[in-house]
Structure formats: structure tokens, C-alpha cells
């Protein structure tokens, strides 16, 4: 299914749903157990990643406490379940452990978003060069699509993203997987010009390989400019159409799509 890999990018369109987080966890397990991936890059909190790396390698620390102090989208039972699974895997395989990819330089919120994107990519590349590990990068759609000039809305911010640098570095070994959904968790059905409006014609949940042969009309749609959902920490259902990614096509951005029709809220840590 996959070519020789530098990394699989698990790119959620909304990092607040149970179903998409569960899919990400299932992908992580498959990639570790079946394809030999040995590093996880958990996008969004470098301090938490360092503490979680110590936990999954040694059992030191409390992952619930670490995640409770992390960025809001990481404060969920779904992410905690994944951390505990990695720890259990490492206990079974003490000489072949899964690590967290740790940043050489801090990348956080700031005024220059183009520099942030470049920093995300550079940290990933350096970790790969240092360890030789195949990396599961679990993060957000805006950062991980192959988007040399993608636009994030609201705000209509256009700049090159981390995914485009990683595609340049790894070529076909950079595999972005988009996790998309139709509706749920206070999010209505998408506007007709969103890719999800067409993806909704499939089953309740499915995998779509955008690299596969397709009829001419399907290929034309995949290669045409589109919009996809992009929901961050701040979202207003009344302005749903404003929250999207544009400036490219589905086939340019992603290699695979995993689409889920209906989603619910992630379980917040208590």
C-alpha cells in the first residue's frame, strides 16, 4: 500500500472528535506493528512531547497529568489511550521502542506563520536524519497537506506549509493522509463546493486512495481546485463555510483520504 517511507502524516481536519482521533490511533498501531514505524511526532506541544517520551520509554511520570497541561486539543481520553498503548508496546519490546520525535527548536504560536511551517518541517527532517526512524506525524490538516500555496480561512492566510517542505525532502516517501468528516459535533453538513460534500456519497466510513487509477471525470474532480473543512480551536457553526482550506486540489494535497460520515465530541480529560 505504501512506498518506502520517510513519514506518514495523519492530518485531522478537526482535532476535537472521537472518531477521527480513534482512526489516528488505529493508524498509529498499524504503522508501528506492521510497517516498523518507531517515532511519533505529536504536533502542538514540544514540552508535553518530551515528557511523554520519558513516559513511554521508562514509565516515569503520569501521562494524564502531562496531557492535562498540554494544548487543549491534546487534553482528551483518545490521545491518552494512544499514549498508554505506546507504553504497553515498549514494555513488550524494550529493545525496539517507539520514541517521540523531539524538536531541536521550539515551534509555537507567533506572528510569522511561514517561519512556523518551515520550523515544523525542519524539526521533522532533522529527527529522521538523526534516528533513521519512519515517523508517524499526528497533526492538523493545514500543516500536513502538500500545500506550496494553500490558504487557511478564516483570515485568508496564504503561505507555504510544512507538508510542502516535507514532500520536497522525501518525495513519494512523504504520505499525507487526510482524516475528513461530513457532519457532527455541532458541525453542519458542508457547503456544496467543499470536497466533503462529494465524499459524502460513499459509505459511512472508507479509505480513498487518491493515487489510484480513476475514470477521467473522477480524476478531473480530484485535480480541480477545492475547499475542505478546517476547524481549529475557535469555531462558530453559524459561520461554518468560513472555516476551510483552499488554494489547491485534493490530489495535490493528499495521497489518501479516510472519510467518516458522522462524528462526535472527543472525551475530555477529567
Amino acid at each position: 500500500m505504501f512506498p518506502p517511507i520517510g513519514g506518514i502524516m495523519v492530518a485531522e481536519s478537526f482535532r476535537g472528535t472521537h472518531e477521527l482521533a480513534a482512526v489516528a490511533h488505529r493508524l498509529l498501531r498499524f504503522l508501528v506493528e506492521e510497517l516498523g514505524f518507531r517515532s511519533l511526532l505529536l504536533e502542538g506541544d514540544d514540552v508535553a512531547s518530551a515528557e511523554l517520551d520519558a513516559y513511554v520509554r521508562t514509565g516515569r511520570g503520569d501521562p494524564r497529568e502531562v496531557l492535562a497541561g498540554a494544548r487543549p486539543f491534546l487534553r482528551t481520553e483518545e490521545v491518552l489511550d494512544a499514549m498508554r498503548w505506546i507504553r504497553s508496546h515498549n514494555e513488550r519490546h524494550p529493545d525496539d521502542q517507539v520514541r517521540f520525535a523531539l524538536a531541536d527548536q521550539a515551534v509555537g504560536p507567533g506572528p510569522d506563520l511561514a517561519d512556523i511551517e518551515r520550523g515544523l518541517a525542519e524539526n521533522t527532517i532533522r529527527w529522521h536524519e538523526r534516528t533513521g526512524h519512519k515517523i508517524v506525524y499526528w497533526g492538523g490538516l493545514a500543516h500536513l497537506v502538500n500545500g506550496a500555496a494553500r490558504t487557511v480561512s478564516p483570515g485568508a492566510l496564504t503561505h507555504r506549509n510544512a507538508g510542502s517542505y516535507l514532500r520536497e525532502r522525501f518525495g513519494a516517501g512523504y504520505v499525507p493522509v487526510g482524516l475528513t468528516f461530513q457532519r457532527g459535533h455541532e458541525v453542519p453538513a458542508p457547503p456544496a463546493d467543499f470536497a466533503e460534500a462529494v465524499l459524502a456519497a460513499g459509505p459511512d466510513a472508507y479509505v480513498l486512495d487518491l493515487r489510484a487509477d480513476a475514470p477521467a471525470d473522477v480524476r478531473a474532480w480530484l485535480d480541480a481546485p477545492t475547499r475542505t473543512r478546517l476547524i481549529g480551536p475557535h469555531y462558530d457553526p453559524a459561520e461554518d463555510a468560513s472555516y476551510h482550506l483552499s488554494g489547491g486540489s485534493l490530489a495535490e494535497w493528499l495521497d489518501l483520504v479516510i472519510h467518516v460520515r458522522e462524528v462526535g465530541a472527543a472525551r475530555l480529560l477529567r
Side-chain angles (χ1 to χ4, degrees), residues 5 126-135:
I5 296 299
R126 280 194 289 267
W127 182 263
H128 180 268
E129 290 174 344
R130 184 184 310 150
T131 65
H133 288 180
K134 293 184 285 188
I135 300 169

Side-chain angles (χ1 to χ4, degrees), residues 5-264:
I5 296 299
I8 299 285
M9 310 296 124
V10 182
E12 293 183 82
S13 58
F14 185 6
R15 297 181 76 182
T17 76
H18 168 74
E19 285 75 11
L20 298 189
V23 168
H25 183 180
R26 185 172 179 181
L27 268 174
L28 170 66
R29 293 182 64 156
F30 171 77
L31 294 169
V32 168
E33 293 178 332
E34 303 297 331
L35 295 183
F37 281 65
R38 288 298 179 267
S39 282
L40 169 65
L41 198 161
L42 188 62
E43 180 188 276
D45 200 310
D46 295 337
V47 173
S49 291
E51 294 176 348
L52 290 169
D53 183 61
Y55 163 72
V56 299
R57 289 187 297 107
T58 69
R60 185 175 70 248
D62 182 347
R64 180 181 293 274
E65 182 177 321
V66 173
L67 292 173
R71 299 281 294 280
F73 50 80
L74 298 177
R75 301 173 195 167
T76 70
E77 295 286 348
E78 287 80 3
V79 175
L80 178 61
D81 288 345
M83 302 306 100
R84 287 177 168 163
W85 179 80
I86 296 173
R87 174 59 189 153
S88 69
H89 173 275
N90 286 348
E91 287 180 310
R92 296 191 305 273
H93 306 280
D95 298 322
D96 188 22
Q97 294 193 335
V98 175
R99 292 285 313 273
F100 273 75
L102 303 179
D104 285 340
Q105 59 186 23
V107 178
D112 194 330
L113 298 179
D115 285 346
I116 289 172
E117 295 292 337
R118 187 182 300 107
L120 290 171
E122 289 173 352
N123 280 335
T124 306
I125 291 167
R126 280 194 289 267
W127 182 263
H128 180 268
E129 290 174 344
R130 184 184 310 150
T131 65
H133 288 180
K134 293 184 285 188
I135 300 169
V136 182
Y137 189 137
W138 183 354
L141 196 71
H143 300 301
L144 298 183
V145 300
N146 173 33
R150 60 48 167 162
T151 298
V152 175
S153 297
L157 302 172
T158 302
H159 49 264
R160 187 176 183 183
N161 76 336
S164 70
Y165 291 107
L166 293 170
R167 171 55 60 84
E168 182 177 75
R169 170 65 177 80
F170 294 114
Y174 173 76
V175 181
V177 181
L179 308 189
T180 63
F181 71 102
Q182 171 72 1
R183 62 178 181 267
H185 189 24
E186 301 184 348
V187 180
D193 61 342
F194 278 41
E196 289 87 346
V198 175
L199 295 174
D204 287 346
Y206 63 93
V207 180
L208 177 63
D209 188 345
L210 304 184
R211 305 160 302 178
D213 292 337
D217 55 346
V218 174
R219 180 51 55 188
W221 178 76
L222 292 174
D223 290 337
T226 192
R227 296 180 176 187
T228 65
R229 287 197 186 283
L230 187 65
I231 299 178
H234 306 291
Y235 170 72
D236 180 359
E239 301 292 335
D240 177 65
S242 299
Y243 295 84
H244 64 265
L245 190 72
S246 60
S249 70
L250 211 60
E252 173 192 353
W253 287 337
L254 299 165
D255 287 347
L256 299 169
V257 169
I258 300 178
H259 187 74
V260 178
R261 186 184 301 275
E262 190 90 24
V263 298

